[in-house]
Amino acid sequence: MSPGPGLGLVTTRHAVVATPEHPLRLTDGGVLRHVEVAYETYGELNAARDNVVLVAHALTGDAHAAGHHGDPARRGWWDNLIGPGRAIDTDRFFVVCPNLLGGCRGTTGPSSLDPETGRAHGPDFPELHVTDLVAVHRRLLDHLGIGALHAGVGGSLGGMQVLQWLADEPGRLERAVLVAATARLTAENIGFSSVAREAITSDPDFHGGRYAEHDVVPARGLKVARMMAHITYVSAQGLEEKYGRDGIEGYLQHQGEAFVRRFDANSYLVLTRLLDRFDPFADPAFGKAVASGGPRVLAVSFDSDWRFGTAHSRFVVDELAAAGLEVTHRELTSPWGHDSFLLRPPGYHELVADFLLS
């Protein structure tokens, strides 16, 4: 595999997938009567319409997975994996990457205007489940006239969305690639998220989630939340080698400040709570539903990932195998912790490429 220069200029598009006449009814009982979803596509849809790969992003990602929006130096978050000759080869596949529901990067979320009130949803935005994220993506593909998918690929929360896909519409995905993903957060994971949410909600500028009405943002709390979360995404070895004792504080300050400029605090609360509640195999029907679709599944973990490490992938693999699925797991060596799924540890991209072509 010898990747070329990558994709060029790409465009983020938008589609309305829920209306008052066709609302989105959520798992926990809420209803959204207007949902817009941001998405990008790469490559060409073939005549048989059977070369589609869905890419699902992680917690704070967006639809811009590859190519650039005018500055070739600033490329999509998975540009190293998607493009001509790359692991998700756009010379072969038509790639669709939607932004997730509840976020703040073009798809309806707490910072979006509620058509019924004319103001941002804010803290009134309903609680979500991973299946609600999947429902929006399924509606988007229906809107695009796409039926069966060659594969779904996602890392971290993206992998959790792909896993949920397999049960919510069995048989629509032929293959699933779950990278550094989990089916159940540990108490430690939930603890980190809880502290992050406390940092946000205790910021004096939070105003009960109605900070937009006060023309402020809870910047201090959101910054601290991101700084702490980022520590869990990298490994001790990676931090020591790249930043060391003298550089780590400045690095985390930069990460926190950059995050405040691009992400909404209410979205962070909604999406981290969604992560905490994800536990699909607690329902015995989940594994049976996935198995009824007969997908082939590849789970990839990294030996330095202590956020969703190898034990998380093995749990998913064991549950799917017990349900009768053909499932493969590979643990790869990487110094970069959970963020390895965004990078290129030895063997990772080749493993994904081979699975998609097998």
PDB file of all heavy atoms in Angstrom, residues 293-325:
ATOM      1  N   GLY A 293     -27.758 -10.726  11.390  1.00  0.00           N
ATOM      2  CA  GLY A 293     -27.307 -10.068  10.170  1.00  0.00           C
ATOM      3  C   GLY A 293     -26.080 -10.704   9.558  1.00  0.00           C
ATOM      4  O   GLY A 293     -25.739 -10.427   8.400  1.00  0.00           O
ATOM      5  N   GLY A 294     -25.380 -11.522  10.348  1.00  0.00           N
ATOM      6  CA  GLY A 294     -24.221 -12.251   9.846  1.00  0.00           C
ATOM      7  C   GLY A 294     -23.049 -11.415   9.379  1.00  0.00           C
ATOM      8  O   GLY A 294     -22.360 -11.805   8.427  1.00  0.00           O
ATOM      9  N   PRO A 295     -22.728 -10.271  10.018  1.00  0.00           N
ATOM     10  CA  PRO A 295     -21.592  -9.482   9.548  1.00  0.00           C
ATOM     11  C   PRO A 295     -20.267 -10.124   9.928  1.00  0.00           C
ATOM     12  O   PRO A 295     -20.189 -10.932  10.864  1.00  0.00           O
ATOM     13  CB  PRO A 295     -21.766  -8.155  10.287  1.00  0.00           C
ATOM     14  CG  PRO A 295     -22.385  -8.567  11.587  1.00  0.00           C
ATOM     15  CD  PRO A 295     -23.335  -9.678  11.224  1.00  0.00           C
ATOM     16  N   ARG A 296     -19.228  -9.755   9.219  1.00  0.00           N
ATOM     17  CA  ARG A 296     -17.869 -10.094   9.619  1.00  0.00           C
ATOM     18  C   ARG A 296     -17.325  -8.895  10.391  1.00  0.00           C
ATOM     19  O   ARG A 296     -17.522  -7.759   9.990  1.00  0.00           O
ATOM     20  CB  ARG A 296     -16.994 -10.383   8.404  1.00  0.00           C
ATOM     21  CG  ARG A 296     -17.453 -11.618   7.627  1.00  0.00           C
ATOM     22  CD  ARG A 296     -16.625 -11.789   6.364  1.00  0.00           C
ATOM     23  NE  ARG A 296     -15.219 -11.800   6.671  1.00  0.00           N
ATOM     24  CZ  ARG A 296     -14.283 -11.169   5.949  1.00  0.00           C
ATOM     25  NH1 ARG A 296     -14.629 -10.436   4.910  1.00  0.00           N
ATOM     26  NH2 ARG A 296     -13.011 -11.240   6.287  1.00  0.00           N
ATOM     27  N   VAL A 297     -16.657  -9.165  11.512  1.00  0.00           N
ATOM     28  CA  VAL A 297     -16.236  -8.098  12.407  1.00  0.00           C
ATOM     29  C   VAL A 297     -14.737  -8.189  12.676  1.00  0.00           C
ATOM     30  O   VAL A 297     -14.206  -9.269  12.955  1.00  0.00           O
ATOM     31  CB  VAL A 297     -16.996  -8.157  13.744  1.00  0.00           C
ATOM     32  CG1 VAL A 297     -16.541  -7.029  14.672  1.00  0.00           C
ATOM     33  CG2 VAL A 297     -18.505  -8.078  13.507  1.00  0.00           C
ATOM     34  N   LEU A 298     -14.063  -7.041  12.594  1.00  0.00           N
ATOM     35  CA  LEU A 298     -12.664  -6.911  12.989  1.00  0.00           C
ATOM     36  C   LEU A 298     -12.593  -5.935  14.153  1.00  0.00           C
ATOM     37  O   LEU A 298     -13.070  -4.800  14.047  1.00  0.00           O
ATOM     38  CB  LEU A 298     -11.822  -6.389  11.826  1.00  0.00           C
ATOM     39  CG  LEU A 298     -10.383  -5.977  12.173  1.00  0.00           C
ATOM     40  CD1 LEU A 298      -9.561  -7.195  12.598  1.00  0.00           C
ATOM     41  CD2 LEU A 298      -9.720  -5.269  10.986  1.00  0.00           C
ATOM     42  N   ALA A 299     -12.023  -6.366  15.261  1.00  0.00           N
ATOM     43  CA  ALA A 299     -11.785  -5.490  16.408  1.00  0.00           C
ATOM     44  C   ALA A 299     -10.286  -5.271  16.544  1.00  0.00           C
ATOM     45  O   ALA A 299      -9.504  -6.228  16.536  1.00  0.00           O
ATOM     46  CB  ALA A 299     -12.347  -6.109  17.687  1.00  0.00           C
ATOM     47  N   VAL A 300      -9.889  -4.011  16.667  1.00  0.00           N
ATOM     48  CA  VAL A 300      -8.476  -3.650  16.779  1.00  0.00           C
ATOM     49  C   VAL A 300      -8.265  -2.905  18.090  1.00  0.00           C
ATOM     50  O   VAL A 300      -9.012  -1.976  18.419  1.00  0.00           O
ATOM     51  CB  VAL A 300      -8.029  -2.752  15.604  1.00  0.00           C
ATOM     52  CG1 VAL A 300      -6.537  -2.423  15.725  1.00  0.00           C
ATOM     53  CG2 VAL A 300      -8.329  -3.417  14.265  1.00  0.00           C
ATOM     54  N   SER A 301      -7.252  -3.317  18.852  1.00  0.00           N
ATOM     55  CA  SER A 301      -6.897  -2.605  20.081  1.00  0.00           C
ATOM     56  C   SER A 301      -5.406  -2.324  20.072  1.00  0.00           C
ATOM     57  O   SER A 301      -4.646  -2.874  19.262  1.00  0.00           O
ATOM     58  CB  SER A 301      -7.280  -3.428  21.313  1.00  0.00           C
ATOM     59  OG  SER A 301      -6.563  -4.660  21.351  1.00  0.00           O
ATOM     60  N   PHE A 302      -4.973  -1.474  21.002  1.00  0.00           N
ATOM     61  CA  PHE A 302      -3.578  -1.066  21.073  1.00  0.00           C
ATOM     62  C   PHE A 302      -3.047  -1.302  22.487  1.00  0.00           C
ATOM     63  O   PHE A 302      -3.730  -1.003  23.481  1.00  0.00           O
ATOM     64  CB  PHE A 302      -3.433   0.409  20.685  1.00  0.00           C
ATOM     65  CG  PHE A 302      -3.961   0.707  19.312  1.00  0.00           C
ATOM     66  CD1 PHE A 302      -5.224   1.263  19.150  1.00  0.00           C
ATOM     67  CD2 PHE A 302      -3.229   0.388  18.184  1.00  0.00           C
ATOM     68  CE1 PHE A 302      -5.729   1.517  17.888  1.00  0.00           C
ATOM     69  CE2 PHE A 302      -3.730   0.633  16.912  1.00  0.00           C
ATOM     70  CZ  PHE A 302      -4.985   1.201  16.755  1.00  0.00           C
ATOM     71  N   ASP A 303      -1.831  -1.815  22.572  1.00  0.00           N
ATOM     72  CA  ASP A 303      -1.318  -2.261  23.866  1.00  0.00           C
ATOM     73  C   ASP A 303      -1.074  -1.138  24.869  1.00  0.00           C
ATOM     74  O   ASP A 303      -1.001  -1.385  26.074  1.00  0.00           O
ATOM     75  CB  ASP A 303      -0.051  -3.104  23.682  1.00  0.00           C
ATOM     76  CG  ASP A 303       1.101  -2.348  23.040  1.00  0.00           C
ATOM     77  OD1 ASP A 303       0.933  -1.172  22.649  1.00  0.00           O
ATOM     78  OD2 ASP A 303       2.194  -2.953  22.913  1.00  0.00           O
ATOM     79  N   SER A 304      -0.969   0.109  24.401  1.00  0.00           N
ATOM     80  CA  SER A 304      -0.728   1.226  25.318  1.00  0.00           C
ATOM     81  C   SER A 304      -1.994   2.018  25.631  1.00  0.00           C
ATOM     82  O   SER A 304      -1.938   3.029  26.343  1.00  0.00           O
ATOM     83  CB  SER A 304       0.330   2.177  24.726  1.00  0.00           C
ATOM     84  OG  SER A 304      -0.108   2.680  23.470  1.00  0.00           O
ATOM     85  N   ASP A 305      -3.137   1.582  25.113  1.00  0.00           N
ATOM     86  CA  ASP A 305      -4.408   2.278  25.323  1.00  0.00           C
ATOM     87  C   ASP A 305      -4.972   1.890  26.685  1.00  0.00           C
ATOM     88  O   ASP A 305      -5.326   0.740  26.915  1.00  0.00           O
ATOM     89  CB  ASP A 305      -5.378   1.890  24.198  1.00  0.00           C
ATOM     90  CG  ASP A 305      -6.727   2.594  24.302  1.00  0.00           C
ATOM     91  OD1 ASP A 305      -6.948   3.369  25.261  1.00  0.00           O
ATOM     92  OD2 ASP A 305      -7.565   2.374  23.413  1.00  0.00           O
ATOM     93  N   TRP A 306      -5.060   2.852  27.597  1.00  0.00           N
ATOM     94  CA  TRP A 306      -5.645   2.553  28.902  1.00  0.00           C
ATOM     95  C   TRP A 306      -7.029   3.183  29.060  1.00  0.00           C
ATOM     96  O   TRP A 306      -7.632   3.084  30.130  1.00  0.00           O
ATOM     97  CB  TRP A 306      -4.712   2.971  30.036  1.00  0.00           C
ATOM     98  CG  TRP A 306      -4.367   4.422  30.098  1.00  0.00           C
ATOM     99  CD1 TRP A 306      -3.439   5.087  29.349  1.00  0.00           C
ATOM    100  CD2 TRP A 306      -4.934   5.393  30.973  1.00  0.00           C
ATOM    101  NE1 TRP A 306      -3.393   6.404  29.698  1.00  0.00           N
ATOM    102  CE2 TRP A 306      -4.290   6.639  30.702  1.00  0.00           C
ATOM    103  CE3 TRP A 306      -5.907   5.356  31.970  1.00  0.00           C
ATOM    104  CZ2 TRP A 306      -4.603   7.815  31.381  1.00  0.00           C
ATOM    105  CZ3 TRP A 306      -6.218   6.524  32.653  1.00  0.00           C
ATOM    106  CH2 TRP A 306      -5.567   7.738  32.368  1.00  0.00           C
ATOM    107  N   ARG A 307      -7.534   3.787  28.006  1.00  0.00           N
ATOM    108  CA  ARG A 307      -8.900   4.316  28.021  1.00  0.00           C
ATOM    109  C   ARG A 307      -9.879   3.204  27.639  1.00  0.00           C
ATOM    110  O   ARG A 307     -10.729   2.818  28.415  1.00  0.00           O
ATOM    111  CB  ARG A 307      -8.995   5.495  27.057  1.00  0.00           C
ATOM    112  CG  ARG A 307     -10.376   6.136  26.949  1.00  0.00           C
ATOM    113  CD  ARG A 307     -10.781   6.876  28.193  1.00  0.00           C
ATOM    114  NE  ARG A 307     -11.994   7.675  27.951  1.00  0.00           N
ATOM    115  CZ  ARG A 307     -12.645   8.340  28.893  1.00  0.00           C
ATOM    116  NH1 ARG A 307     -12.199   8.333  30.130  1.00  0.00           N
ATOM    117  NH2 ARG A 307     -13.722   9.028  28.605  1.00  0.00           N
ATOM    118  N   PHE A 308      -9.741   2.695  26.419  1.00  0.00           N
ATOM    119  CA  PHE A 308     -10.524   1.539  25.961  1.00  0.00           C
ATOM    120  C   PHE A 308      -9.537   0.498  25.453  1.00  0.00           C
ATOM    121  O   PHE A 308      -9.415   0.265  24.249  1.00  0.00           O
ATOM    122  CB  PHE A 308     -11.496   1.923  24.843  1.00  0.00           C
ATOM    123  CG  PHE A 308     -12.537   2.941  25.215  1.00  0.00           C
ATOM    124  CD1 PHE A 308     -13.086   3.767  24.259  1.00  0.00           C
ATOM    125  CD2 PHE A 308     -12.980   3.077  26.514  1.00  0.00           C
ATOM    126  CE1 PHE A 308     -14.052   4.711  24.571  1.00  0.00           C
ATOM    127  CE2 PHE A 308     -13.939   4.022  26.860  1.00  0.00           C
ATOM    128  CZ  PHE A 308     -14.480   4.843  25.883  1.00  0.00           C
ATOM    129  N   GLY A 309      -8.825  -0.103  26.367  1.00  0.00           N
ATOM    130  CA  GLY A 309      -7.747  -1.011  26.008  1.00  0.00           C
ATOM    131  C   GLY A 309      -8.211  -2.366  25.520  1.00  0.00           C
ATOM    132  O   GLY A 309      -9.395  -2.608  25.252  1.00  0.00           O
ATOM    133  N   THR A 310      -7.266  -3.279  25.439  1.00  0.00           N
ATOM    134  CA  THR A 310      -7.509  -4.591  24.838  1.00  0.00           C
ATOM    135  C   THR A 310      -8.608  -5.366  25.550  1.00  0.00           C
ATOM    136  O   THR A 310      -9.384  -6.096  24.913  1.00  0.00           O
ATOM    137  CB  THR A 310      -6.201  -5.388  24.808  1.00  0.00           C
ATOM    138  OG1 THR A 310      -5.300  -4.755  23.882  1.00  0.00           O
ATOM    139  CG2 THR A 310      -6.430  -6.820  24.378  1.00  0.00           C
ATOM    140  N   ALA A 311      -8.731  -5.219  26.854  1.00  0.00           N
ATOM    141  CA  ALA A 311      -9.795  -5.938  27.582  1.00  0.00           C
ATOM    142  C   ALA A 311     -11.174  -5.541  27.063  1.00  0.00           C
ATOM    143  O   ALA A 311     -12.089  -6.380  27.008  1.00  0.00           O
ATOM    144  CB  ALA A 311      -9.695  -5.659  29.078  1.00  0.00           C
ATOM    145  N   HIS A 312     -11.342  -4.287  26.663  1.00  0.00           N
ATOM    146  CA  HIS A 312     -12.627  -3.833  26.119  1.00  0.00           C
ATOM    147  C   HIS A 312     -12.919  -4.545  24.798  1.00  0.00           C
ATOM    148  O   HIS A 312     -14.045  -5.001  24.556  1.00  0.00           O
ATOM    149  CB  HIS A 312     -12.596  -2.323  25.900  1.00  0.00           C
ATOM    150  CG  HIS A 312     -12.605  -1.522  27.156  1.00  0.00           C
ATOM    151  ND1 HIS A 312     -13.741  -0.944  27.670  1.00  0.00           N
ATOM    152  CD2 HIS A 312     -11.608  -1.208  28.021  1.00  0.00           C
ATOM    153  CE1 HIS A 312     -13.452  -0.301  28.786  1.00  0.00           C
ATOM    154  NE2 HIS A 312     -12.160  -0.450  29.024  1.00  0.00           N
ATOM    155  N   SER A 313     -11.919  -4.614  23.934  1.00  0.00           N
ATOM    156  CA  SER A 313     -12.118  -5.288  22.647  1.00  0.00           C
ATOM    157  C   SER A 313     -12.377  -6.775  22.828  1.00  0.00           C
ATOM    158  O   SER A 313     -13.221  -7.361  22.136  1.00  0.00           O
ATOM    159  CB  SER A 313     -10.895  -5.071  21.745  1.00  0.00           C
ATOM    160  OG  SER A 313     -10.807  -3.729  21.327  1.00  0.00           O
ATOM    161  N   ARG A 314     -11.667  -7.389  23.751  1.00  0.00           N
ATOM    162  CA  ARG A 314     -11.861  -8.826  23.982  1.00  0.00           C
ATOM    163  C   ARG A 314     -13.272  -9.115  24.481  1.00  0.00           C
ATOM    164  O   ARG A 314     -13.873 -10.139  24.123  1.00  0.00           O
ATOM    165  CB  ARG A 314     -10.820  -9.337  24.976  1.00  0.00           C
ATOM    166  CG  ARG A 314      -9.434  -9.489  24.354  1.00  0.00           C
ATOM    167  CD  ARG A 314      -8.431 -10.007  25.342  1.00  0.00           C
ATOM    168  NE  ARG A 314      -7.125 -10.227  24.728  1.00  0.00           N
ATOM    169  CZ  ARG A 314      -5.973 -10.146  25.381  1.00  0.00           C
ATOM    170  NH1 ARG A 314      -5.964  -9.877  26.686  1.00  0.00           N
ATOM    171  NH2 ARG A 314      -4.832 -10.355  24.746  1.00  0.00           N
ATOM    172  N   PHE A 315     -13.807  -8.235  25.309  1.00  0.00           N
ATOM    173  CA  PHE A 315     -15.178  -8.416  25.780  1.00  0.00           C
ATOM    174  C   PHE A 315     -16.147  -8.416  24.603  1.00  0.00           C
ATOM    175  O   PHE A 315     -17.029  -9.277  24.495  1.00  0.00           O
ATOM    176  CB  PHE A 315     -15.544  -7.314  26.770  1.00  0.00           C
ATOM    177  CG  PHE A 315     -16.986  -7.338  27.196  1.00  0.00           C
ATOM    178  CD1 PHE A 315     -17.450  -8.275  28.100  1.00  0.00           C
ATOM    179  CD2 PHE A 315     -17.891  -6.420  26.670  1.00  0.00           C
ATOM    180  CE1 PHE A 315     -18.786  -8.308  28.483  1.00  0.00           C
ATOM    181  CE2 PHE A 315     -19.233  -6.445  27.047  1.00  0.00           C
ATOM    182  CZ  PHE A 315     -19.679  -7.384  27.953  1.00  0.00           C
ATOM    183  N   VAL A 316     -15.999  -7.435  23.701  1.00  0.00           N
ATOM    184  CA  VAL A 316     -16.866  -7.368  22.520  1.00  0.00           C
ATOM    185  C   VAL A 316     -16.712  -8.624  21.672  1.00  0.00           C
ATOM    186  O   VAL A 316     -17.705  -9.230  21.233  1.00  0.00           O
ATOM    187  CB  VAL A 316     -16.546  -6.113  21.673  1.00  0.00           C
ATOM    188  CG1 VAL A 316     -17.327  -6.133  20.364  1.00  0.00           C
ATOM    189  CG2 VAL A 316     -16.851  -4.847  22.461  1.00  0.00           C
ATOM    190  N   VAL A 317     -15.474  -9.023  21.438  1.00  0.00           N
ATOM    191  CA  VAL A 317     -15.201 -10.203  20.609  1.00  0.00           C
ATOM    192  C   VAL A 317     -15.819 -11.449  21.222  1.00  0.00           C
ATOM    193  O   VAL A 317     -16.447 -12.263  20.530  1.00  0.00           O
ATOM    194  CB  VAL A 317     -13.678 -10.371  20.418  1.00  0.00           C
ATOM    195  CG1 VAL A 317     -13.345 -11.739  19.831  1.00  0.00           C
ATOM    196  CG2 VAL A 317     -13.128  -9.264  19.534  1.00  0.00           C
ATOM    197  N   ASP A 318     -15.657 -11.620  22.528  1.00  0.00           N
ATOM    198  CA  ASP A 318     -16.203 -12.812  23.193  1.00  0.00           C
ATOM    199  C   ASP A 318     -17.726 -12.844  23.093  1.00  0.00           C
ATOM    200  O   ASP A 318     -18.323 -13.907  22.856  1.00  0.00           O
ATOM    201  CB  ASP A 318     -15.780 -12.831  24.660  1.00  0.00           C
ATOM    202  CG  ASP A 318     -14.299 -13.140  24.850  1.00  0.00           C
ATOM    203  OD1 ASP A 318     -13.657 -13.584  23.876  1.00  0.00           O
ATOM    204  OD2 ASP A 318     -13.789 -12.913  25.970  1.00  0.00           O
ATOM    205  N   GLU A 319     -18.367 -11.683  23.274  1.00  0.00           N
ATOM    206  CA  GLU A 319     -19.833 -11.633  23.200  1.00  0.00           C
ATOM    207  C   GLU A 319     -20.323 -11.940  21.780  1.00  0.00           C
ATOM    208  O   GLU A 319     -21.306 -12.678  21.599  1.00  0.00           O
ATOM    209  CB  GLU A 319     -20.331 -10.256  23.635  1.00  0.00           C
ATOM    210  CG  GLU A 319     -20.151  -9.958  25.113  1.00  0.00           C
ATOM    211  CD  GLU A 319     -21.097 -10.767  25.991  1.00  0.00           C
ATOM    212  OE1 GLU A 319     -22.177 -11.154  25.510  1.00  0.00           O
ATOM    213  OE2 GLU A 319     -20.754 -10.996  27.167  1.00  0.00           O
ATOM    214  N   LEU A 320     -19.656 -11.372  20.787  1.00  0.00           N
ATOM    215  CA  LEU A 320     -20.076 -11.607  19.402  1.00  0.00           C
ATOM    216  C   LEU A 320     -19.802 -13.052  18.979  1.00  0.00           C
ATOM    217  O   LEU A 320     -20.611 -13.670  18.273  1.00  0.00           O
ATOM    218  CB  LEU A 320     -19.369 -10.630  18.465  1.00  0.00           C
ATOM    219  CG  LEU A 320     -19.734  -9.145  18.640  1.00  0.00           C
ATOM    220  CD1 LEU A 320     -18.951  -8.292  17.661  1.00  0.00           C
ATOM    221  CD2 LEU A 320     -21.232  -8.927  18.448  1.00  0.00           C
ATOM    222  N   ALA A 321     -18.656 -13.576  19.405  1.00  0.00           N
ATOM    223  CA  ALA A 321     -18.340 -14.969  19.069  1.00  0.00           C
ATOM    224  C   ALA A 321     -19.334 -15.924  19.714  1.00  0.00           C
ATOM    225  O   ALA A 321     -19.761 -16.916  19.109  1.00  0.00           O
ATOM    226  CB  ALA A 321     -16.916 -15.298  19.501  1.00  0.00           C
ATOM    227  N   ALA A 322     -19.742 -15.613  20.949  1.00  0.00           N
ATOM    228  CA  ALA A 322     -20.725 -16.456  21.638  1.00  0.00           C
ATOM    229  C   ALA A 322     -22.061 -16.433  20.919  1.00  0.00           C
ATOM    230  O   ALA A 322     -22.832 -17.411  20.984  1.00  0.00           O
ATOM    231  CB  ALA A 322     -20.893 -15.982  23.080  1.00  0.00           C
ATOM    232  N   ALA A 323     -22.326 -15.334  20.215  1.00  0.00           N
ATOM    233  CA  ALA A 323     -23.572 -15.240  19.438  1.00  0.00           C
ATOM    234  C   ALA A 323     -23.454 -15.923  18.091  1.00  0.00           C
ATOM    235  O   ALA A 323     -24.437 -15.994  17.340  1.00  0.00           O
ATOM    236  CB  ALA A 323     -23.945 -13.775  19.243  1.00  0.00           C
ATOM    237  N   GLY A 324     -22.236 -16.426  17.758  1.00  0.00           N
ATOM    238  CA  GLY A 324     -22.053 -17.182  16.528  1.00  0.00           C
ATOM    239  C   GLY A 324     -21.457 -16.408  15.368  1.00  0.00           C
ATOM    240  O   GLY A 324     -21.457 -16.905  14.236  1.00  0.00           O
ATOM    241  N   LEU A 325     -20.932 -15.209  15.628  1.00  0.00           N
ATOM    242  CA  LEU A 325     -20.380 -14.403  14.544  1.00  0.00           C
ATOM    243  C   LEU A 325     -18.943 -14.768  14.222  1.00  0.00           C
ATOM    244  O   LEU A 325     -18.187 -15.236  15.088  1.00  0.00           O
ATOM    245  CB  LEU A 325     -20.418 -12.922  14.911  1.00  0.00           C
ATOM    246  CG  LEU A 325     -21.736 -12.192  14.750  1.00  0.00           C
ATOM    247  CD1 LEU A 325     -21.554 -10.735  15.103  1.00  0.00           C
ATOM    248  CD2 LEU A 325     -22.241 -12.305  13.324  1.00  0.00           C
TER     249      LEU A 325
END
